[in-house]
Amino acid sequence: MRSIRLRTKFLLSLLAISAMLTVATLLIVSHEVQMRVRENLSSDLHSSMGTFQIFEKGRDQTFTSTAQLLANLPNVKAMMVTDARTIQDASESPYSQSGADLLVLADRTGKVEGLRNADESLSAQSAQDLLLGSIGRGENRDWWFASGHLYQIWIQKIYAGSQASNTFLGLMVLGDRVDDRSAKDFSAIASSEVAFFHGSNPVASTLNGLDGTTLLAGLRFGAGKDSPVEFQIGNERYIASALSLSSDPPVTLVVFKSLDKATSFLTELNRVLLAVGLFSVLVGAVLVFLISDTFTRPLSNLVSGVRALEAGDFAYPLNAKPGDEVGEVTSAFDRMRASLQKTQAEQKDLEGRLRQAHKMEAVGRLAGGVAHDFNNLLTIIGGNSDLLLDRAGADDFHRRCVEQIQRASRRAVAMTRQLLAFSRMQVLQPQILDLNSIVVDMGKMLPRLIGEHIEYVFVPDPKLSAVKADPGQIEQVLMNLAVNARDAMPDGGLLTVSTSNVFITEAEAAKRPPMSPGDYVRLTVTDTGHGMDEKTKAHIFEPFFTTKEVGKGTGLGLATVYGVVKQSGGFIWVESSLGQGATFEIYLPLAAGPVLKVDPDSKPAATPVGHETILMVEDEPGVRELACRFLRVKGYIVLEAKDGVDALEVAAAHKATVHAVVTDMVMPRMGGADLIRALKKVRPEILVIFMTGYSEYLKGDLCDVFPESLIIQKPFSPASLVGIVREAMAGKSSEREGSSEGTRVS
């Protein structure tokens, strides 16, 4: 019985579809009629183009004959041998006889002596420039455009006698201005709408509201070659075709045929077709609605459930009635929805991890590139400042200037290493620190950084325990938190930094997962800014997340803070609410051992001298020149090479012993690792020192390939470079004491 009802439903639905197909067939017939009309209009457009060419040919003959007759008049020849004022005054007569809109008289060189035009819109200077352009192109018939007016011109030479006598007196130019009147005249002849364009600007037209740029972009030049194109101009549709009249200047004729006027007879036919179609659709819709309601209603409920699922609503009620196919599909969808809800949470978690991994990978690539290029620049800056500082005879003022350059260079080095540490989650130079001294030193700079409108207060714990971290990274943490607080207090406020020893109980640690109970040193940064809501707090430590306007924040400030704290084995927590400011609490584990104190005024020990031959390989000219200067000052013989290929050639040409090679790791054509492999084959005894700005090479990754080789990190000082070369010569196997710039691979 159920199969019979389904069959009946199908047959009735088929009847409705048949009615709609009938209407579609009638509409297709109407469409075919319109296509025929378009073809006829296209043919008319081509005929109009031919009509214009015939019209243009006749006008060309008329103006050519007129120009020749005027040029042979005795009074015209006579006035051409007079002065410019006389020519201008006497030009009225031939101008009135010509019937042209423009008359120009010029001497043999093309200098304009007389000018007449209907509305005086063309200046003598413009006519001069246009005439010289036509003469330069060798045109006797040309198009001129000036002051928003377009002219078609004919140039006729004026001779004293016959042309054969070669007594050339000057030039006569007759011009016919193309304006709306001209367009209307040709429109009446061609029974079409016309428009003349100079470039993409309409200069004469029988239509209003033309967009030349859009119109000409859709048309291709060449009458009789291309199919016309349909355009909407105002509320009316047109078929248009274009004819290029000149390429220099660009002049185009566009002829239009109204498609709406040509198809106006179809209006009544379309009404009849539409009435038939609507009647068929309505009858079919009523039949389908009355008969198929039994299965369309549950399907509608199922569709609503699908839309609710798309919007994230997994609890939308489904009225699944078993007994037919729709009920079975609804039950299957309900089971699928439950399964999808279960897996969606897992998918979101995986997507979040994947995005985080991609962001960190991008930051890592960026950091590596910055380290390589920026460290080369810092090597040049720091090295040359060292040379200036060591120069004898410098006064105290210049010495202080150089020392400021050195401090700025060391600051830039620290910032570069912080970026590398964040991207690779690697602490580069951890030390036992007194956190109070770090904050005190930063306190000299923070007030200037946050501005005078914000009050800065530091509340230290006098018995603060020591921690182990990179001092440069801790400074970066303070600076980033201060900048974040400054941005949160545009109208001023209070920034408070405090330190204290705290003990975290199990209950307190449970509120700050994954923090564990124990003793910590707490660094607190509090502002009185506008605060954050819970949604913002959940994302503030994510890379590239920022609430600032585009171009005013990278989204890496707080992410760097989070990375540094994690690298130091600590934890960070933020408390904030809208309008109540924000408090960042950093918990660092205690560290045992003496606090490292660095004397900024201490001078390095005297660097040793040598006499060996060193091959210096570096693709950056400034770094190469500086390193060679360091070594030569200390007595070494230095061979220079710009890359690995050049180094092999230099080593082959040098017949004497090359004691050591100092090479960059990353170079064009051949890198440092490939160079050493090739060089060891011919000079196995040569000592190897690598230079690099990439921190991954400092981790001993090359020890299996190049045992006993040394690595010096860019940027380096003269003492560190000479010292590591001396260390290689001495064959030391341990890391040089007191220097973090050179590292033995093994």
Side-chain angles (χ1 to χ4, degrees):
M1 190 65 178
R2 183 179 60 183
S3 61
I4 296 176
R5 288 199 303 269
L6 292 175
R7 184 181 306 164
T8 304
K9 296 173 186 177
F10 174 75
L11 292 175
L12 292 175
S13 300
L14 185 60
L15 289 176
I17 294 174
S18 299
M20 296 178 65
L21 290 177
T22 302
V23 175
T25 303
L26 295 176
L27 293 176
I28 291 173
V29 172
S30 176
H31 176 73
E32 287 295 326
V33 173
Q34 292 191 39
M35 292 301 297
R36 295 296 182 183
V37 172
R38 285 185 173 87
E39 292 176 2
N40 292 335
L41 291 179
S42 299
S43 178
D44 290 344
L45 285 175
H46 289 301
S47 298
S48 298
M49 291 297 182
T51 302
F52 176 80
Q53 291 173 341
I54 296 172
F55 173 78
E56 184 69 10
K57 184 176 181 181
R59 190 171 63 160
D60 181 62
Q61 292 175 352
T62 300
F63 276 93
T64 300
S65 300
T66 302
Q68 291 175 350
L69 290 174
L70 292 175
N72 290 325
L73 291 176
N75 61 332
V76 173
K77 296 180 179 181
M79 71 179 177
M80 290 305 297
V81 297
T82 61
D83 59 280
R85 180 180 294 276
T86 303
I87 293 174
Q88 174 64 26
D89 294 339
S91 63
E92 175 63 29
S93 176
Y95 174 66
S96 60
Q97 296 176 24
S98 67
D101 296 321
L102 173 68
L103 173 68
V104 179
L105 295 174
D107 62 12
R108 289 175 295 178
T109 64
K111 180 180 179 182
V112 173
E113 302 287 353
L115 172 64
R116 297 283 180 176
N117 61 321
D119 55 2
E120 299 183 357
S121 60
L122 181 64
S123 66
Q125 182 60 48
S126 298
Q128 178 79 60
D129 296 338
L130 293 170
L131 179 58
L132 291 178
S134 298
I135 294 173
R137 294 190 296 272
E139 297 288 347
N140 292 327
R141 290 176 293 276
D142 205 355
W143 293 85
W144 288 2
F145 182 78
S147 301
H149 297 292
L150 179 66
Y151 296 88
Q152 185 176 12
I153 61 99
W154 291 264
I155 302 175
Q156 178 64 43
K157 294 182 178 179
I158 303 174
Y159 295 91
S162 64
Q163 183 173 351
S165 66
N166 295 325
T167 306
F168 178 45
L169 297 178
L171 298 171
M172 173 184 288
V173 180
L174 293 183
D176 185 24
R177 193 173 79 180
V178 178
D179 53 14
D180 291 342
R181 176 182 55 81
S182 304
K184 290 179 180 178
D185 292 341
F186 176 66
S187 174
I189 296 174
S191 299
S192 304
E193 304 290 346
V194 298
F196 291 87
F197 290 85
H198 175 262
S200 60
N201 298 317
V203 295
S205 174
T206 59
L207 293 173
N208 296 323
L210 293 179
D211 183 356
T213 302
T214 304
L215 180 64
L216 295 180
L219 293 170
R220 293 179 296 172
F221 297 149
K225 297 179 180 179
D226 304 315
S227 299
V229 181
E230 181 178 334
F231 289 96
Q232 181 80 24
I233 302 175
N235 296 324
E236 192 168 355
R237 294 176 301 159
Y238 289 88
I239 298 290
S241 184
L243 175 64
S244 177
L245 303 179
S246 171
S247 58
D248 186 13
V251 180
T252 307
L253 167 66
V254 180
V255 181
F256 303 86
K257 287 286 187 179
S258 175
L259 181 59
D260 288 342
K261 292 179 181 178
T263 58
S264 59
F265 73 93
L266 292 176
T267 303
E268 189 63 29
L269 177 60
N270 287 334
R271 290 175 181 173
V272 174
L273 294 177
L274 181 60
V276 174
L278 287 176
F279 179 77
S280 300
V281 170
L282 290 174
V283 172
V286 170
L287 292 175
V288 171
F289 176 78
L290 294 176
I291 298 174
S292 62
D293 182 68
T294 55
F295 64 87
T296 56
R297 189 182 300 274
L299 281 177
S300 177
N301 179 256
L302 180 59
V303 170
S304 299
V306 172
R307 292 175 179 172
L309 179 61
E310 184 180 8
D313 183 6
F314 290 87
Y316 186 87
L318 296 175
N319 299 324
K321 296 181 179 180
D324 59 10
E325 293 84 349
V326 177
E328 294 177 3
V329 171
T330 303
S331 299
F333 173 76
D334 194 20
R335 293 191 298 270
M336 180 194 70
R337 185 174 64 173
S339 176
L340 182 61
Q341 184 179 15
K342 180 180 178 181
T343 59
Q344 189 178 43
E346 300 176 359
Q347 182 180 359
K348 288 183 178 180
D349 183 59
L350 292 175
E351 289 176 353
R353 295 180 183 179
L354 181 61
R355 284 194 298 269
Q356 182 74 6
H358 287 171
K359 290 177 183 178
M360 295 304 296
E361 181 182 3
V363 173
R365 291 198 186 104
L366 174 64
V370 168
H372 182 263
D373 297 334
F374 194 50
N375 281 334
N376 280 338
L377 300 177
L378 293 176
T379 299
I380 298 172
I381 295 172
N384 282 283
S385 63
D386 288 338
L387 293 177
L388 289 174
L389 199 62
D390 293 340
R391 186 181 63 176
D395 55 28
D396 291 341
F397 172 74
H398 289 89
R399 178 173 293 274
R400 286 195 299 271
C401 292
V402 175
E403 289 174 349
Q404 289 294 332
I405 295 174
Q406 284 185 321
R407 292 190 185 97
S409 175
R410 286 193 293 268
R411 186 73 176 172
V413 170
M415 292 175 65
T416 304
R417 290 179 178 174
Q418 290 160 26
L419 179 59
L420 288 171
F422 161 69
S423 63
R424 295 175 176 84
M425 299 302 290
Q426 172 194 5
V427 177
L428 298 180
Q429 295 179 357
Q431 300 173 2
I432 306 298
L433 302 177
D434 177 9
L435 203 56
N436 284 340
S437 63
I438 297 294
V439 179
V440 169
D441 290 341
M442 286 295 294
K444 302 173 184 178
M445 180 184 68
L446 289 182
R448 294 192 298 271
L449 179 66
I450 62 180
E452 296 180 355
H453 65 297
I454 297 176
E455 182 183 357
Y456 169 72
V457 176
F458 174 43
V459 183
D461 184 343
K463 298 182 180 180
L464 193 67
S465 301
V467 297
K468 187 174 183 181
D470 188 317
Q473 289 180 332
I474 297 300
E475 290 177 356
Q476 187 68 41
V477 166
L478 285 171
M479 184 174 66
N480 288 355
L481 291 177
V483 169
N484 184 73
R486 178 198 64 190
D487 295 339
M489 297 183 290
D491 299 325
L494 175 64
L495 174 63
T496 304
V497 178
S498 62
T499 58
S500 59
N501 294 318
V502 296
F503 176 76
I504 300 299
T505 63
E506 293 185 1
E508 292 173 338
K511 299 177 182 179
R512 295 174 172 83
M515 196 173 184
S516 56
D519 291 311
Y520 292 90
V521 171
R522 181 173 63 192
L523 173 65
T524 305
V525 179
T526 303
D527 64 69
T528 58
H530 49 63
M532 297 172 284
D533 55 21
E534 293 297 328
K535 183 178 180 181
T536 303
K537 284 171 55 179
H539 299 282
I540 57 173
F541 295 122
E542 294 181 1
F544 309 110
F545 175 79
T546 178
T547 58
K548 300 177 184 177
E549 298 178 5
V550 176
K552 294 187 178 181
T554 63
L556 282 174
L558 294 180
T560 302
V561 171
Y562 181 84
V564 169
V565 173
K566 286 300 181 182
Q567 293 168 54
S568 304
F571 304 91
I572 184 169
W573 194 260
V574 59
E575 293 288 347
S576 180
S577 59
L578 289 176
Q580 301 299 320
T583 299
F584 289 85
E585 296 180 347
I586 297 174
Y587 297 86
L588 299 175
L590 305 185
V595 176
L596 179 64
K597 296 183 179 180
V598 179
D599 184 6
D601 298 326
S602 62
K603 297 183 178 179
T607 54
V609 297
H611 59 277
E612 292 87 353
T613 300
I614 309 298
L615 174 59
M616 174 62 63
V617 189
E618 169 60 56
D619 61 306
E620 179 65 36
V623 177
R624 184 174 67 248
E625 177 184 354
L626 188 67
C628 292
R629 187 183 303 168
F630 288 166
L631 295 174
R632 287 180 179 133
V633 167
K634 293 302 179 179
Y636 292 97
I637 301 172
V638 183
L639 306 176
E640 298 185 42
K642 62 183 179 181
D643 54 40
V645 176
D646 189 30
L648 292 177
E649 296 175 356
V650 172
H654 187 78
K655 303 303 181 183
T657 302
V658 179
H659 298 86
V661 56
V662 182
T663 177
D664 192 11
M665 285 298 303
V666 180
M667 296 181 293
R669 298 204 296 176
M670 180 183 290
D674 293 335
L675 167 63
I676 299 306
R677 291 188 182 94
L679 201 57
K680 281 287 188 178
K681 294 179 181 178
V682 295
R683 295 178 183 265
E685 75 287 350
I686 195 169
L687 301 174
V688 179
I689 301 173
F690 289 110
M691 298 184 297
T692 183
Y694 291 103
S695 63
E696 57 262 31
Y697 294 124
L698 299 178
K699 297 184 290 186
D701 296 337
L702 302 175
C703 60
D704 294 334
V705 182
F706 305 111
E708 303 302 326
S709 61
L710 295 174
I711 293 180
I712 182 170
Q713 185 184 9
K714 297 178 183 177
F716 49 77
S717 63
S720 61
L721 176 61
V722 175
I724 199 169
V725 170
R726 194 69 262 157
E727 178 183 340
M729 297 300 174
K732 295 181 180 180
S733 60
S734 61
E735 185 179 21
R736 292 185 297 117
E737 182 178 0
S739 173
S740 62
E741 293 176 303
T743 306
R744 183 171 294 276
V745 171
S746 58

